[in-house]
């Protein structure tokens, strides 16, 4: 007879909006084990599985710590309530938690109060988290400087009380997605074998209890900062869309493939926050919230594009195109190979043409042309890295305010790539970037078209690839050119291109003298005019991601503000519960303009 051997959950902590699908191991009537579902619609030898999900409710409502979401909160910052900071961010599990998080926490107050004419953050009220009447309120005063903890109470007394528990049925399928009403409550999953004829339970049910449901951690909102001379923030309408009909927004984001998101590499990130079931929802929320007209994603797995991002973003009005990496180097399930995905809003753009660049094919052609037969195998081992680029030509459905010819089609070429090459192979990295640029030059020569070059180039500012992109050439004495065992970079005079590319984020360096401008400049590298970082892990912090544009046809209107180390908690690298990739997203608003008159 059909029986249940074991039930367990893949994630230790349930999170609002993230599917919970228990692992159920069954024993078939022939004694063989299986994890296949046996629904009522397809019973096995007269038996099927019945599932139930319950919310375990008690009289006591438990708030969740904003810093340690697996811990119940014991105090609340009333300063957050006065500043209208989201309530979920006001809870802490201990005075030490609040003290340690103050460097980050005070930024929430400052941002919330930035529009106010006056405010005083020097007095904070800490409230005990309790339910019902008799809530204790503790007031402390003093100067809250960075690192100071003397003003916090030495001990916190939590209210305890007994209350009856009630089981509220919330689901009847194997999979359940926690809702806001579940926050602070334990969930109970029940699985039992049922006789298909009598509809009676057979044997005992298998049950499992979760931890308390926590709200999905959310990062601090990032503002869109005008850089075209405006002094106020306001380029987006109430739906997050650009107000100017002639402008459009572009997002570039390496979302961190699930294949690479292992606890071995990111041991500092909680395992539940690394789980794809959690990260995919968090990433989707972030991407949708930005509301970009064009979205360039890197490290998108083939199965995740087909089964998640494409259908989910379709609901938000996006059409998607995908280019999977080649698999000459990759070993494993081809469905999990990652690649580049480009999405665009159907109401803003239409698809005209797609080009796919496979650097492996370019490597084959190069070795055939310049590498001696005896060295071809060695050369291919060095050059073949499975990287690709996806180039999409779009036609705008909106009017360009500065168009020379109102009747002319407004085309746009968007290149999306991930140059995933080991750091020591400087020649290969530069060769791939040069190959991409030469391909874009051919497109530019055949059509008068603005261009965007987006992606994770896996190269830091002032490196040879970055210099080639930004300056159009590489100094023959550049130290990166010393690494060229195959001679693929010679003569160095060929390392040029004619595209007038400029890095979008360098516009922050040219802003006026406002407070916002100065804040953003502090987050820039003055030597390269690039962000201080777009990738932040325990082992590396620096800039690898860029949005380049042709400056003779496009102008930057606004940029998504950069993160600083205060925006990331001082003890946290990426990914984290709030940010589900080890990269940060870049977003720029552009305006089409006529070419400069000569």
């Amino acid at each position: 007879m059909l029986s249940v051997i074991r039930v367990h959950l893949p994630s230790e902590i349930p999170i609002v909006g993230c599917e919970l699908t228990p692992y159920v191991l069954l024993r078939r009537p022939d004694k063989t084990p299986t994890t296949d579902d046996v629904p009522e619609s397809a019973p096995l030898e007269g038996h099927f599985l019945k599932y139930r999900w319950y919310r375990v409710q008690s009289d006591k409502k438990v708030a969740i710590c904003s810093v340690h979401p697996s811990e119940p909160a014991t105090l609340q910052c009333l300063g957050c309530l006065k500043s209208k900071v989201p309530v979920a961010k006001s809870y802490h599990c201990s005075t030490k938690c609040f003290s340690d998080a103050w460097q980050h926490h005070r930024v929430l107050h400052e941002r919330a109060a930035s529009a106010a004419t006056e405010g005083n953050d020097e007095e904070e009220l800490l409230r005990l988290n309790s339910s019902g009447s008799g809530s204790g309120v503790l007031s402390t005063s003093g100067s809250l400087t960075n690192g100071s903890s003397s003003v916090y109470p030495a001990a916190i007394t939590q209210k305890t009380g007994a209350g009856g528990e009630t089981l509220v049925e919330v689901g009847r399928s194997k999979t359940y997605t926690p809702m806001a009403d579940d926050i602070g409550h334990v969930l109970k999953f029940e699985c039992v074998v049922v006789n298909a004829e009598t509809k009676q339970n057979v044997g005992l049910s298998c049950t499992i209890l979760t931890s308390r449901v926590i709200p999905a951690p959310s990062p601090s909102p990032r503002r869109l900062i005008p850089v075209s001379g405006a002094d106020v923030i306001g380029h987006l309408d109430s739906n997050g869309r650009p107000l100017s009909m002639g402008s459009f927004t572009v997002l570039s984001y390496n979302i961190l493939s699930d294949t690479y998101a292992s606890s071995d590499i990111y041991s500092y990130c909680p395992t539940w926050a690394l789980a794809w079931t959690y990260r995919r929802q968090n990433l989707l929320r972030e991407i949708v919230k930005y509301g970009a007209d064009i979205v360039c994603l890197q490290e998108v797995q083939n199965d995740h594009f087909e089964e998640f991002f494409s259908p989910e973003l379709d609901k938000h009005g996006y059409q998607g195109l995908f280019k999977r990496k080649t698999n000459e180097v990759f070993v494993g399930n081809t469905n999990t190979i990652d690649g580049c995905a480009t999405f665009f809003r159907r109401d803003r753009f239409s698809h005209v043409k797609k080009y796919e660049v496979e650097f492996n094919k370019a490597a084959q052609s190069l070795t055939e042309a310049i590498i001696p037969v005896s060295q071809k195998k060695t050369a291919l081992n060095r050059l073949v890295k499975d990287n690709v680029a996806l180039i999409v030509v779009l036609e705008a459905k909106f009017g360009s305010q500065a168009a020379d010819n109102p009747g002319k089609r407004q085309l746009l070429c968007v290149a999306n790539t991930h140059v995933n090459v080991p750091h020591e192979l400087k020649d290969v990295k530069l060769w791939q970037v040069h190959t991409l640029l030469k391909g874009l030059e051919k497109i530019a020569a055949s059509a008068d078209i603005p261009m965007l070059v987006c992606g994770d180039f896996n190269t830091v500012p002032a490196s040879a690839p970055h210099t080639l992109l930004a300056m159009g050439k590489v100094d023959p004495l550049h130290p990166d050119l010393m690494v060229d065992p195959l001679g693929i970079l010679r003569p160095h005079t060929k390392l040029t291109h004619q595209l007038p590319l400029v890095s979008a984020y360098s516009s922050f360096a040219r802003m006026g003298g406002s407070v916002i401008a100065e804040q953003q400049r502090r987050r820039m590298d003055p030597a390269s005019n690039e962000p201080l970082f777009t990738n932040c892990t325990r082992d590396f912090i620096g800039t690898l991601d860029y949005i380049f544009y042709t400056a003779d046809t496009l102008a930057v209107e606004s940029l998504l503000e950069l993160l600083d180390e205060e925006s990331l908690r001082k003890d946290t690298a990426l990914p984290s519960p709030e940010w589900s990739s080890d990269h940060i997203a870049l977003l720029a608003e552009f305006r089409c303009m006529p070419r400069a008159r000569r």
Side-chain angles (χ1 to χ4, degrees):
M1 186 183 72
L2 184 69
S3 60
V4 180
I5 301 174
R6 186 170 68 252
V7 176
H8 76 84
L9 288 167
S11 177
E12 58 197 52
I13 299 178
I15 304 142
V16 170
C18 297
E19 287 183 353
L20 285 173
T21 303
Y23 175 86
V24 180
L25 182 63
L26 306 173
R27 181 179 287 113
R28 296 173 179 271
D30 62 3
K31 305 301 182 183
T32 60
T34 181
T35 57
D36 294 338
D37 195 12
V38 184
E40 185 176 3
S41 59
L44 183 62
E45 294 192 12
H47 295 85
F48 65 90
L49 290 179
K50 181 176 74 175
Y51 305 110
R52 292 290 185 271
W53 283 94
Y54 301 95
R55 180 193 306 132
V56 182
Q57 290 192 171
S58 64
D59 294 337
K60 183 178 180 181
K61 180 69 175 178
V62 179
I64 302 299
C65 176
S66 62
V67 179
H68 307 99
S70 60
E71 299 295 330
T74 62
L75 56 87
Q76 184 178 33
C77 171
L78 295 189
C80 286
L81 303 185
K82 290 193 301 180
S83 302
K84 297 185 178 180
V85 170
V87 173
K89 295 184 179 293
S90 67
Y91 293 115
H92 295 266
C93 58
S94 68
T95 52
K96 183 178 186 303
C97 167
F98 185 54
S99 173
D100 290 345
W102 177 246
Q103 181 81 359
H104 167 78
H105 190 82
R106 65 190 294 269
V107 176
L108 301 179
H109 292 203
E110 292 169 359
R111 288 185 173 183
S114 61
T117 56
E118 60 181 4
N120 183 5
D121 285 338
E122 292 187 353
E123 181 173 321
E124 296 298 328
L125 299 179
L126 304 181
R127 181 172 67 190
L128 298 180
N129 176 50
S130 56
S131 59
S133 60
S135 295
V137 178
L138 178 63
S139 173
T140 67
S141 62
S143 178
L144 295 183
T145 58
N146 293 342
S148 172
S149 59
S150 60
V151 300
Y152 305 116
I156 294 294
T157 302
Q158 298 189 46
K159 178 185 175 183
T160 60
E165 292 185 343
T166 304
L167 294 181
V168 178
E169 185 178 311
V170 292
R172 291 194 169 194
S173 62
K174 185 177 181 180
T175 297
Y176 177 68
T177 302
M179 301 178 293
D181 289 344
D182 299 321
I183 293 174
H185 297 292
V186 169
L187 297 176
K188 180 180 180 179
F189 173 71
E190 181 180 270
C191 174
V192 64
V193 176
V194 176
N195 185 297
E197 183 176 347
T198 65
K199 299 298 189 289
Q200 297 297 310
N201 294 354
V202 178
L204 298 175
S205 61
C206 288
T207 62
I208 188 170
L209 295 175
T210 71
S211 303
R212 294 186 186 276
V213 177
I214 66 172
S218 59
S220 301
R222 296 172 64 188
R223 301 166 294 177
L224 198 61
I225 310 293
V227 298
S228 58
D231 294 322
V232 295
I233 299 173
H235 275 227
L236 298 182
D237 63 17
S238 59
N239 296 318
R241 303 291 297 280
L243 289 174
S244 170
M245 286 301 293
S247 67
F248 62 92
T249 50
V250 179
L251 174 75
S252 184
Y253 197 5
N254 181 327
I255 62 169
L256 180 59
S257 167
D258 186 44
T259 302
Y260 308 138
S262 71
S263 295
D264 291 338
I265 300 174
Y266 305 106
S267 58
Y268 49 83
C269 183
T271 54
W272 60 265
L274 275 180
W276 180 242
T277 51
Y278 169 73
R279 290 203 308 118
R280 68 179 185 180
Q281 295 294 342
N282 208 30
L283 289 165
L284 181 65
R285 277 193 297 269
E286 183 183 2
I287 292 166
V288 169
K289 188 174 182 179
Y290 292 138
D293 296 309
I294 301 170
V295 177
C296 295
L297 303 179
Q298 301 87 44
E299 288 196 21
V300 180
Q301 287 184 195
N302 185 67
D303 54 342
H304 294 166
F305 175 81
E306 297 290 346
E307 299 170 11
F308 182 73
F309 284 109
S310 184
E312 289 299 322
L313 288 174
D314 177 74
K315 298 174 185 176
H316 295 274
Y318 288 96
Q319 180 178 334
L321 300 167
F322 181 70
K323 174 56 183 173
R324 192 187 75 177
K325 287 183 178 178
T326 47
N327 61 339
E328 293 181 42
V329 177
F330 180 85
V331 177
N333 185 349
T334 55
N335 280 332
T336 64
I337 297 177
D338 67 284
C340 298
T342 300
F343 295 88
F344 58 90
R345 285 191 177 276
R346 289 186 294 267
D347 62 338
R348 299 280 285 168
F349 291 95
S350 59
H351 175 225
V352 176
K353 196 167 186 178
K354 179 176 78 168
Y355 301 90
E356 297 181 347
V357 179
E358 295 185 358
F359 294 108
N360 282 6
K361 289 184 178 179
Q364 292 279 359
S365 300
L366 180 68
T367 54
E368 289 291 333
I370 70 169
I371 304 297
V373 175
S374 61
Q375 298 179 21
K376 281 185 179 180
K377 184 176 180 180
T378 300
L380 288 174
N381 285 339
R382 186 175 183 87
L383 293 172
V384 170
K385 293 293 175 280
D386 286 343
N387 293 333
V388 297
L390 174 61
I391 303 172
V392 178
V393 178
L394 304 173
E395 180 178 358
K397 295 183 178 180
F398 52 86
S400 175
Q401 295 175 329
D404 284 324
N405 184 353
K408 185 179 179 181
R409 297 170 70 193
Q410 180 60 69
L411 299 178
L412 179 69
C413 179
V414 183
N416 179 11
T417 191
H418 181 197
V419 184
N420 189 9
V421 177
H423 175 70
E424 64 273 12
L425 301 183
K426 300 179 187 297
D427 55 325
V428 180
K429 195 175 298 186
L430 177 56
W431 169 74
Q432 289 194 359
V433 171
H434 183 249
T435 300
L436 173 61
L437 290 170
K438 286 302 171 182
L440 292 173
E441 274 190 328
K442 292 179 181 178
I443 297 174
S446 63
D448 182 14
I449 183 171
M451 287 195 169
L452 294 165
V453 186
C454 308
D456 174 5
F457 290 86
N458 203 31
T459 191
V460 297
S463 64
H466 178 267
T467 301
L468 179 62
L469 283 159
M471 305 301 294
K473 60 182 180 180
V474 181
D475 189 322
L477 299 179
H478 195 290
D480 284 2
L481 301 185
M482 298 294 291
V483 180
D484 187 18
L486 301 175
I488 59 175
L489 304 179
R490 292 191 287 270
H492 296 155
T493 52
K494 75 176 182 181
L495 299 174
T496 63
H497 69 87
Q498 301 303 314
L499 301 173
L501 295 178
V502 175
S503 175
Y505 270 79
S506 67
S507 299
F508 271 146
R510 299 187 291 273
M511 286 178 65
S514 67
V515 173
I516 294 175
E518 183 57 35
Q519 180 189 59
Q520 295 304 307
R521 275 195 287 268
R522 287 198 299 269
R523 301 172 187 180
M524 300 281 289
D525 172 21
S528 63
N529 288 336
E530 295 288 3
L532 288 174
F533 68 89
T534 64
N535 180 252
C536 178
T537 68
R538 283 277 173 87
D539 301 321
F540 174 83
I541 181 167
T543 292
L544 303 175
D545 308 84
Y546 307 92
I547 298 176
F548 285 93
Y549 67 100
T550 47
D552 61 341
T553 54
L554 296 170
V556 180
E557 292 278 286
S558 307
L559 293 168
L560 190 65
E561 70 176 322
L562 295 168
L563 294 177
D564 59 8
E565 293 188 54
E566 286 187 353
S567 300
L568 306 172
R569 293 193 180 94
K570 60 184 178 180
D571 59 347
T572 303
L574 300 180
S576 68
E578 292 82 6
W579 305 94
S580 286
S581 175
D582 54 347
H583 293 251
I584 65 169
L586 300 180
L587 184 146
E589 180 188 0
F590 292 97
R591 173 174 47 85
C592 298
M593 65 179 191
R595 292 185 181 275
R597 292 181 173 85
R598 292 177 173 83

